[in-house]
Amino acid sequence: MADLAIEHGKDDSSRLEISNKTIAERFIELYWQQSSPYKTSKANESGVLFQNNGVQASIVKSIDAFRQGNRFNSPSSAKGSKEYERLVATVAATVAKQPINYLQNVGGETLPFLYERNSSSITLKNGVSYCLRRFQPLIQQLARSRWADFIKRNTNNTPILGEKDDLNSFLFETSRQTLALVCRGLKEAYGNKCFYCNKASPKLDVDHFIPFSLYPRDLMHNFVLACPNCNRSKSDALAAKIYLDRWVNLLSKHSNEILNIGEKAGIQANQETSLAIAKWAYGACSRGEISTWIKPNQYEKLKGETCVHTFTFPR
Ligand SMILES: [Zn+2]
């Protein structure tokens, strides 16, 4: 919900309507990877992790069945198909019956402090979307750590998890193979050079333009190539204004290529969404001055709001 507030909401206290369908699509994206088998070091002990204490969670079952019965290797490749629409409708019905229904349950009683609902959507109350945007990094961190804990504590998962400890990256990160596909595609589109220092480099990494630590969702438009030196030095910082302008320019010039790479690699690609996230990251709720990265050991203070107002969205 915090993600959706960032991607669809504004930096004011207005209400925000979100359809059950939109929530369902985000559920499918989050659970897609998790409905594939978690592979332990011993090949015969792999299985889909349990997300419920009793039987498997019904959303995981629906996605699992969809994946078994179709050729699609990602939600983004399945989008637009009839089968996918059916999956979204099934998940939307479960979402409405379960999480949306129980999220505002306080001490056994429904207290609609976050949203009002009707049969096909929820509407976040005044100020809720603003607070979700403001505190999204904290909310996301709490939710992810509780989620991983819940899965670890479920005794059904003990034989599946084994000794290996990469649960967090399995649950929430894009696989190395996928990133390798992204890297190859970006090299073809942008050439073998670093997005930041413009130097050719024999080794280039896939860098999250808006840092993954700030907004941990892999979207195709957010990927650029960086030499190891820039990548390491930029780390979790936001890039300086010159790079923000360069990035916006790059998106408008290469929009079709970016979509194609995303389709091949199975990474969601939506320019409007990526720009909304950038707008949030640079100006989110007027956090005042932010320190942005220029090059190793050089930073520039930026006033979030000024920065956002000056960048224009390509059409
Ligand atoms: Zn560089």
Side-chain angles (χ1 to χ4, degrees), residues 193-247:
K193 57 178 184 162
C194 172
F195 170 80
Y196 300 100
C197 66
N198 259 325
K199 285 183 196 140
S201 169
K203 191 183 177 305
L204 289 166
D205 302 317
V206 174
D207 173 65
H208 292 86
F209 182 71
I210 303 297
F212 192 75
S213 59
L214 189 62
Y215 196 75
R217 182 182 180 208
D218 279 334
L219 291 165
M220 196 52 226
H221 291 82
N222 194 39
F223 289 131
V224 293
L225 292 171
C227 70
N229 194 26
C230 288
N231 193 20
R232 217 174 308 123
S233 159
K234 176 178 171 264
S235 185
D236 290 344
L238 275 173
K241 176 79 167 67
I242 43 159
Y243 303 121
L244 178 62
D245 295 339
R246 190 182 290 173
W247 178 70

Side-chain angles (χ1 to χ4, degrees), residues 277-290:
I277 295 165
K279 198 173 173 183
W280 166 80
Y282 279 87
C285 306
S286 319
R287 283 178 305 184
E289 280 196 331
I290 42 178

